[in-house]
Amino acid sequence: MSVTTIMGLYVFALALIVGWRVISHVPHLLHTPLMSATNAISGISLVGSLVAAGSGHGGVTTLLGAIAVCAATINVVGGFLITDRMLKMFRRRPEVVR
Amino acid sequence: MSSMTTTIVQLAYLAASLLFILGLAAMNRTETARRGVRLAEAGMLLAVVGTLLHHDIVEYQWIAIAVVIGAAIGTAMALYIPTVKMPERIALSHAFGGLAVALVGVAELLRHGAALDELALTAVGLEVFLGAITFTGSLVAFGKLQGMLPGRPIVWPLQTAGNLLGVVAAAALIAWLVAAPASSPPPAVTIGLVVLALGAILGVTLVVPVGGADMPVVICLLNAYAGLAASATGFALGNNVLIICGALDGGSGVILGVMMSRAMNRSFRDVLFGASKAGAAAPTKAQTSTSLAAAAAVATLDDAADVLRGASSVIIVPGYGMAVSQAQHAVRDLAAALAANGATVRYAIHPVAGRMPGHMNVLLAEANVPYDQLHDLDDINDDFEATDVALVIGANDVVNPAARTSPSSPIYGMPVLAVEKARATIVFKRSFDPGFAGVENELFTLPSTMMVLGDAKKSLAGLVGQLRGADEARKAA
C-alpha cells in the first residue's frame, strides 16, 4: 500500500472517531436538522464532480460530471437552507403571534 | 507556481474540514445550532473555491450551468417543501447524493480507466456500487413515504439469498476490475457499468421489503451508504476533505440508525431481513380490527372534553398519524386551551415516532411549541403514573403495552411510553386498523382508555372548540 493510501486510512479512521463523538452529543430534539446538515456536508462530493465536469475531457465525462455537479449542488444549497429553516423554528418560548 | 496553488488548495481543504467538524459540534445545543450551520457553510464555500483553483479544472462553462440549475432546484425545494414532507425530502437528497457519487466514479473510469492504481480502482468500484444502491434505494424509500409504492413490506422467495448473492457478485466484479490488466478487454468502464447496474438493482431489492414503520432505520442506513460512498470517492481522488466528510456523514447515519434500532429493540439485520416475519403476521389483520372494535370504548368528543376539563396534568404523545393528518397546529391549540384551563401540558416524544429521527420535534417546533415542553422517552416515562390524562395522537406501536408484558408479541422488548399508567388515556386514531406491522394493541381495550376515531386534526379542533366554549361560558357566569 502506498503512503498516500495509509495517510488516507489515518484520516478516515480519525474522522470516524471524531464524528462519532461529536454526533453522539446531538440531542434527539435536533436529529432531523442534524440529518439534513450532514446531508448538505456530504454534498462535498461536489468537489469530485467539479473535477469531472471541468477537466476538459469532453463528451460523456463532462456530461456525467455536469449532472453530478447539479445533483451535489441541490444537496449543498438545499441542505443548508432547509437546515437553517428548521433550526429557526426551535424556540424555548412560544413566539407571540395573532 | 503550481505547487503553490496545490498548497493553497490543500490548506483550504484543511480549513473546510475543521469548519465542518466544529459546525457539527455546535449542533449539540439548540442555542448554538444555527451558528454551526454558518460554520459548515463557510467550510463548503472554502472547499468549492479551493477546488475551482485546482489545475485539473480547465473549463468552467458546464460547471457554471450545472451549479446554477442545481442551486435553483435546491433553493426551491428548501423553500417550498412543507415540514411534514421532511422525510421525503431527506430520502430524495440521499438519492441525489448517491447519483452524484456514482456518476463521478464512472467519470473517473472514463478519464483514467485501468491506469488507476489498485487502491483507486477498489475505491472507484465501491463508490459506484454504494452510490447506485443509495440512489435507487432512496428513490424506493421516497416512493414508499410518498405513498406511490405500497408502504407494507413486500416479500418474495429466496429474498435474502438473492440479495447476498448480489453483494457477492459485486465484490467479485470489483476484484476483477482491480486485477484485470489495463490492456485486456473488457475495458474498466464496462465492468464499472455492470457494477453500477448491479448496485441499482440491489438498492431496489433491499428497500422494497422494508415496511413503513421501519423507515427511520432505512433512512439512516441510506445516509450511511451515501457517506461511505463519498469517502470512497475521497480515496479514489486522493482527496482528504471528501474522506472526512464521508466519514462524518456515514458515521452519523450509523449512529442514528443504531439509536433507532435500539428504540425499536431490533438490530440492523432484523430491519433489513426481518420483513418476512412482519409479513407473516399480517393475515390476522381483518380479524383483529373487528374484535378490537367490539372491545374498545369508543368515545365522543363530549366525553373526551369532560375528561380533559378535570385534568390538571396532561402528557401528549404524538405519532406518525399526527404527521399524516398535519394535526401539529391543532395539537398546539389544544395544549394552549388546556394550559388556559390551568393544566400543565408536556409532550413525550418516542425516538421512532414518525418516519425519521426527530420527525415529531420538527413538526411541533413548526407549530410553535416551545422545545422545553418536548421530552425524551427516558426523561418522562416515569411521570405517566402521576398524570391525569395521556393524549395519544396517531401513535400506535410506541405506546403498545405488549412490548413490556407479552413475550410472544413481535415488538416485545421495545422501549415504549407507559401511557396506560396515566389515570385516563385518550387515543385519537383514524380507524381500528392496526399499524404496518399488524400488531394488536391492547391499550385500546383497557378500561381507562377512550378511543376517539376519525381525522385527528378535525377531532382536536372540535375539542378545542368545546374547551374554549366552556371557558367563555364560565367567564360569563
Side-chain angles (χ1 to χ4, degrees):
Chain A
M1 257 194 265
S2 68
V3 178
T4 329
T5 312
I6 301 284
M7 290 315 288
L9 289 173
Y10 261 92
V11 168
F12 182 69
L14 293 177
L16 266 186
I17 293 170
V18 171
W20 190 274
R21 302 288 300 187
V22 164
I23 286 155
S24 309
H25 285 104
V26 177
H28 285 294
L29 180 73
L30 295 181
H31 276 171
T32 298
L34 169 70
M35 256 193 149
S36 71
T38 55
N39 203 256
I41 290 174
S42 78
I44 191 72
S45 52
L46 180 55
V47 164
S49 318
L50 289 172
V51 175
S55 61
H57 214 266
V60 186
T61 311
T62 307
L63 177 68
L64 295 182
I67 297 173
V69 167
C70 185
T73 308
I74 293 176
N75 275 0
V76 169
V77 174
F80 281 128
L81 280 177
I82 212 160
T83 307
D84 198 56
R85 183 182 131 197
M86 277 191 275
L87 288 174
K88 250 192 292 193
M89 299 188 304
F90 284 91
R91 297 181 201 90
R92 187 178 287 279
R93 290 274 140 246
E95 204 170 63
V96 186
V97 273
R98 90 192 71 176
Chain B
M1 182 58 211
S2 161
S3 81
M4 175 81 175
T5 317
T6 311
T7 310
I8 293 175
V9 173
Q10 291 304 325
L11 287 177
Y13 286 169
L14 174 63
S17 305
L18 293 177
L19 284 167
F20 290 138
I21 291 169
L22 291 175
L24 284 179
M27 290 194 76
N28 68 348
R29 286 194 302 137
T30 325
E31 293 81 6
T32 54
R34 289 187 72 194
R35 200 187 310 151
V37 175
R38 292 285 108 76
L39 292 175
E41 284 170 355
M44 188 59 75
L45 192 67
L46 263 179
V48 170
V49 171
T51 306
L52 291 174
L53 295 175
H54 200 285
H55 54 82
D56 265 8
I57 298 186
V58 292
E59 53 179 35
Y60 291 87
Q61 69 273 32
W62 298 110
I63 292 177
I65 295 171
V67 164
V68 168
I69 298 175
I73 298 175
T75 308
M77 281 176 67
L79 293 180
Y80 299 115
I81 289 184
T83 317
V84 281
K85 293 286 175 195
M86 218 46 94
E88 284 90 333
R89 195 213 80 96
I90 295 273
L92 263 191
S93 62
H94 290 155
F96 289 133
L99 177 70
V101 165
L103 294 184
V104 170
V106 176
E108 271 297 285
L109 290 175
L110 280 170
R111 283 171 67 201
H112 305 295
L116 291 165
D117 68 22
E118 285 166 7
L119 170 90
L121 280 172
T122 314
V124 168
L126 283 173
E127 175 190 347
V128 170
F129 181 59
L130 287 172
I133 288 190
T134 312
F135 178 60
T136 56
S138 302
L139 286 182
V140 172
F142 173 78
K144 285 193 171 223
L145 289 165
Q146 185 73 22
M148 294 187 295
L149 294 170
R152 70 191 155 75
I154 298 170
V155 289
W156 57 85
L158 295 177
Q159 196 162 38
T160 308
N163 286 342
L164 282 177
L165 192 69
V167 174
V168 171
L173 280 167
I174 294 172
W176 186 23
L177 180 69
V178 176
S183 52
S184 80
V189 177
T190 312
I191 305 178
L193 289 177
V194 178
V195 172
L196 182 84
L198 196 55
I201 295 170
L202 270 175
V204 175
T205 57
L206 280 171
V207 179
V208 161
V210 178
D214 286 339
M215 237 0 128
V217 183
V218 170
I219 296 220
C220 295
L221 202 66
L222 289 166
N223 188 348
Y225 289 157
L228 292 177
S231 267
T233 315
F235 278 103
L237 299 176
N239 184 323
N240 284 337
V241 74
L242 267 166
I243 296 180
I244 292 174
C245 289
L248 293 175
D249 192 37
S252 154
V254 172
I255 293 179
L256 293 178
V258 168
M259 280 183 188
M260 295 299 112
S261 324
R262 232 178 249 162
M264 298 198 292
N265 192 36
R266 305 185 62 177
S267 65
F268 259 178
R269 201 176 43 106
D270 277 356
V271 173
L272 280 180
F273 303 118
S276 44
K277 206 169 54 186
T284 57
K285 195 170 171 174
Q287 183 195 342
T288 307
S289 50
T290 42
S291 61
L292 195 64
V298 178
T300 62
L301 286 183
D302 293 336
D303 303 334
D306 281 343
V307 172
L308 284 172
R309 266 185 216 109
S312 63
S313 54
V314 176
I315 296 180
I316 298 177
V317 181
Y320 184 55
M322 181 183 85
V324 172
S325 103
Q326 305 206 19
Q328 65 272 29
H329 294 94
V331 169
R332 189 264 333 264
D333 289 343
L334 178 63
L338 290 169
N341 211 17
T344 55
V345 182
R346 290 180 296 165
Y347 297 80
I349 313 288
H350 193 282
V352 291
R355 286 293 177 266
M356 66 178 296
H359 193 182
M360 296 295 119
N361 297 303
V362 170
L363 288 180
L364 291 168
E366 186 204 16
N368 215 0
V369 173
Y371 62 78
D372 49 7
Q373 290 178 8
L374 310 178
H375 298 272
D376 288 346
L377 173 81
D378 296 336
D379 294 340
I380 202 165
N381 221 6
D382 295 335
D383 296 0
F384 280 102
E385 261 167 85
T387 297
D388 291 332
V389 183
L391 289 176
V392 177
I393 300 163
N396 188 351
D397 291 345
V398 299
V399 293
N400 191 341
R404 263 196 319 272
T405 55
S406 152
S408 63
S409 169
I411 61 167
Y412 181 71
M414 165 175 164
V416 288
L417 289 158
V419 290
E420 77 281 4
K421 294 199 174 144
R423 256 156 240 135
T425 306
I426 306 178
V427 178
F428 296 84
K429 206 172 178 320
R430 183 179 296 274
S431 69
F432 276 120
D433 277 347
F436 285 113
V439 182
E440 204 170 334
N441 195 338
E442 65 182 45
L443 170 72
F444 303 152
T445 54
L446 292 176
S448 61
T449 300
M450 287 176 140
M451 299 289 293
V452 178
L453 296 182
D455 180 65
K457 194 173 174 179
K458 285 194 193 126
S459 305
L460 290 166
L463 261 184
V464 172
Q466 291 220 2
L467 289 173
R468 287 213 176 118
D471 210 30
E472 273 145 30
R474 200 174 55 221
K475 268 179 206 154

